[in-house]
Amino acid sequence: MAAAHTPEALAPEALSPLAGAQLRGRLSAFLNLLRENGFLVGLEDASDCLRFAAMADLARPAALRAGLRCICCTRQADWQRFDELFDAYWLRRGIKGLLRVSGTPPKGRGARKLSEAGAPGGSLGAPDRVSREGEEAAGNPADRQGKRAGASSSESLAQADFRHLVSAEELQRVHDLADRLARRMRHRLSRRERQRRRGRRLDLRRTIHRSIGRGGLPIDLAWRRRRDKPLRLVVVLDASGSMSQYSAFFVRFIHGVLDRFREAEAFVFHTRLIHVSPALRERNATRAVERLSLIAQGWSGGTRIGESLAGFNRQHAARVVHGRSVVMIVSDGYDTGAPELLGREMAALRRRTRRIVWLNPMIGWQDYEPTAAGMQAALPYVDLFAPAHNLQSLEALAPYLERV
Amino acid sequence: MQRNEIADHLAQVGYVADSQLAMALWLMERLQRPLLLEGAAGVGKTEVAKALAQIHDTRLIRLQCYEGLDANAAIYEWNYQRQLLAIKAREGRGESAEAVEKHIFSEEFLLERPLLAAIRQEKPAVLLIDEIDRADEEFEAFLLEILSDYQISIPELGTVHALSIPLVVLTSNGTRELSDALRRRCLYHFVDYPTEDKEARILTTRLPKIDSTLALQIAAFVAAVRKEDLRKVPGVAETLDWAAALVGLEVRDLATEPKVVQDTLLCLLKTQEDRLALAPEVTQRLLGKVA
């Protein structure tokens, strides 16, 4: 495959006149370029590159290309990017493209801009402010339940529909609650694991050690325990226009989940699917949430749940989903794509996972029936179809997840 | 072995390699680093290790990974039955417990598993750690330790140093994301589905009886099948099976025998859904492109 890109004739400023210190200098600059582009190039790789340069016959760039590619790449994405970077650096081809890709925006710059403009959550929730004031008197579920409970402010907050939380302060408190919930869910899950995995096996090595003094009679037995394994939670969040009022909250929830669960992955979709876990592995909650809010905001147009799930099944499912995974889809089920596709992809996903939980904020609304064609197509494959319009409904999930 | 010879040697043992893979194999030997091969199932990752062992005329030691693989199955185990017998046999002799213990935890009672066996070869072996992504993360960490020091410590015996550094080939299908530490440790090669031309060469290398135009036709047809939306994309092994079947049925030209092609597709497609997806009309369309 290298041959396809490489002319045997060299560009004038390319490799042949390079030797010794000059080559070392250019090599290390190239390794820096790779690092800037997200390659994992360690010290060992750097010294191996030099050893390789000393050993190999570098008259042909094809050899240099093949060797460096082999040493510096660590994953498929690197492998596919490598040619572009190599050409740009060594053969000065496609420089423009390189400037664009290598100048990765400093992390968080966009997010900072956003925060100057106002709280990201606030900006997501803002369109709802007017309707909230108008609905005060209308018997929406939040108000009704709030009256019935009539207890502490945190309790009423737990019952408030996420649509009606607007101010930055309110949102922050919701975020804290979600964070706590994520913590509780994980603790329960791991404790359950420990209790259930009672299956113990004989540790023969230790048993024999102990039995030497008794003429080989295994009186004092040693046992082994199976290591407990946490469930993996895979969250797939619908960030389409119809869900926009809820995305600010779920973005925070997802961050809590990724931060707290030992094994968790998150995806956001709208018209296409994005794997957001890498962007969210950020201890600074505000920065992470801002970053995800940007991703979730960036799109507009119809929701394509079926296509997004197809993308998930094709590209990510094999790696991310296994027999100990619970897939949690958060969506209102309004799909502009074909319901048949959604049904087919749900069936495919069902084969891979342990459970599929579908959280639908609409269930919390009065008189809601899951009549959307997409929702109808998906329901047969869903193990738990639950509301997710307020914190109380999310907390109600914990007992279910404990039993999974 | 020189770099330019590697591809020729591989071809002699029936493995068609491109120059990039030849470079990877040359480097792993020179730099003494493991080679991580990634790619879809059935693109011939395991075959690389087998061919490598053949061209070096050395032993291939294979460790098949699975979930729950532990040190006992991967490195060494004590022969418990023999130990019990030995304790019994020495019972009457009035030896001290320490002496008995020393005896039964000696070399004589040690069962080698692949990793220990690989570092105790006189001549560097090829160690194939197959489907590392199926093993769990704990095992990966453990493996990393062995791959950096090439020594294994056995509490009862002491540290076993490598007699020779094996050529280590790891393969992964991507069922789980591997740790960065392991990736950093390894050289990397991504094995893709072969191009039509390369697949035709694989067919002629492996099936000497095959007609070269038929080989090209088969390669082109399989390449077209891979572009269809299938659940299990056929790998090189499937192509070889199918080609062998067609040769056995004395097919000379795919275009003239659509019925046989349809009937033998079971060699390529391994799920019911995929069989249904490649209905006769679809096959006909693909054959039209090929012939």
Side-chain angles (χ1 to χ4, degrees), chain A residues 1-3 66 69 79, chain B residues 3-4 6-8 10-11 15-26 37 48 189-195 198 201-202:
Chain A
M1 52 195 76
R69 185 208 292 262
W79 187 262
Chain B
R3 184 158 51 85
N4 41 20
I6 289 185
D8 298 342
L10 284 173
Y15 192 90
V16 180
D18 53 29
S19 58
Q20 178 73 53
L21 179 63
M23 172 63 87
L25 296 177
W26 181 73
L37 295 174
V48 173
H189 182 81
F190 182 77
V191 191
D192 214 338
Y193 287 109
T195 56
K198 188 177 164 195
R201 271 190 292 145
I202 295 173

Side-chain angles (χ1 to χ4, degrees), chain A residues 40 44-45 48 51 63 66 69-70 73-76 79 205 209 215-216 224 229 318-319 351, chain B residues 20 23 30 33 67 72 76 78 80 84 87 101 105 156 174-175 180 183-185 188-190 231:
Chain A
L40 296 172
E44 192 189 0
D45 298 308
D48 277 351
R51 280 172 67 195
R69 185 208 292 262
C70 184
C73 292
T74 52
R75 46 173 43 93
Q76 190 184 348
W79 187 262
R205 187 179 303 178
H209 259 297
R224 279 209 293 188
K229 287 200 163 172
R319 188 173 44 80
R351 276 196 294 268
Chain B
Q20 178 73 53
M23 172 63 87
R30 289 304 174 94
R33 281 172 71 173
E67 194 169 353
N72 290 340
Y76 70 94
W78 292 103
Y80 301 115
L84 283 173
I87 299 172
E101 186 167 343
F105 285 105
E156 297 89 346
T175 57
D180 280 353
R183 287 183 182 279
R184 275 173 191 271
R185 182 76 198 98
Y188 183 86
H189 182 81
F190 182 77
R231 250 162 59 70

Side-chain angles (χ1 to χ4, degrees), chain B residues 64-226:
Chain B
Q64 173 66 49
C65 297
Y66 50 87
E67 194 169 353
L69 175 68
D70 59 3
N72 290 340
I75 305 178
Y76 70 94
E77 181 68 297
W78 292 103
N79 190 338
Y80 301 115
Q81 290 90 335
R82 284 199 57 205
Q83 284 181 325
L84 283 173
L85 285 175
I87 299 172
K88 271 280 170 222
R90 289 176 168 245
E91 207 178 10
R93 296 196 212 162
E95 283 180 47
S96 70
E98 286 79 35
V100 176
E101 186 167 343
K102 197 152 192 243
H103 175 68
I104 65 163
F105 285 105
S106 64
E107 194 66 54
E108 203 185 320
F109 296 88
L110 193 66
L111 295 174
E112 273 181 355
R113 297 287 188 238
L115 291 182
L116 182 62
I119 67 164
R120 295 217 296 183
Q121 301 294 315
E122 295 280 350
K123 184 177 181 183
V126 172
L127 171 62
L128 168 63
I129 299 173
D130 217 357
E131 304 188 316
I132 174 68
D133 48 334
R134 289 189 192 277
D136 27 35
E137 277 139 37
E138 292 85 347
F139 182 76
E140 205 181 286
F142 198 64
L143 188 64
L144 201 63
E145 202 182 310
I146 294 177
L147 291 184
S148 51
D149 300 341
Y150 292 107
Q151 61 179 35
I152 289 168
S153 72
I154 301 175
E156 297 89 346
L157 267 186
T159 305
V160 180
H161 295 280
L163 288 180
S164 63
I165 306 270
L167 294 164
V168 186
V169 177
L170 299 101
T171 73
S172 163
N173 288 336
T175 57
R176 176 175 65 80
E177 187 58 75
L178 301 176
S179 73
D180 280 353
L182 187 67
R183 287 183 182 279
R184 275 173 191 271
R185 182 76 198 98
C186 297
L187 299 175
Y188 183 86
H189 182 81
F190 182 77
V191 191
D192 214 338
Y193 287 109
T195 56
E196 280 177 39
D197 175 52
K198 188 177 164 195
E199 192 150 34
R201 271 190 292 145
I202 295 173
L203 288 176
T204 45
T205 317
R206 288 297 184 88
L207 302 168
K209 277 198 241 161
I210 201 167
D211 181 57
S212 61
T213 45
L214 179 65
L216 277 170
Q217 274 189 340
I218 291 175
F221 183 81
V222 173
V225 168
R226 290 198 183 116

Side-chain angles (χ1 to χ4, degrees), chain B residues 230-232 269-279:
Chain B
L230 296 176
R231 250 162 59 70
K232 292 245 185 309
L269 306 173
K270 305 289 176 71
T271 73
Q272 176 67 10
E273 277 172 77
D274 291 349
R275 295 293 306 283
L276 293 176
L278 236 66

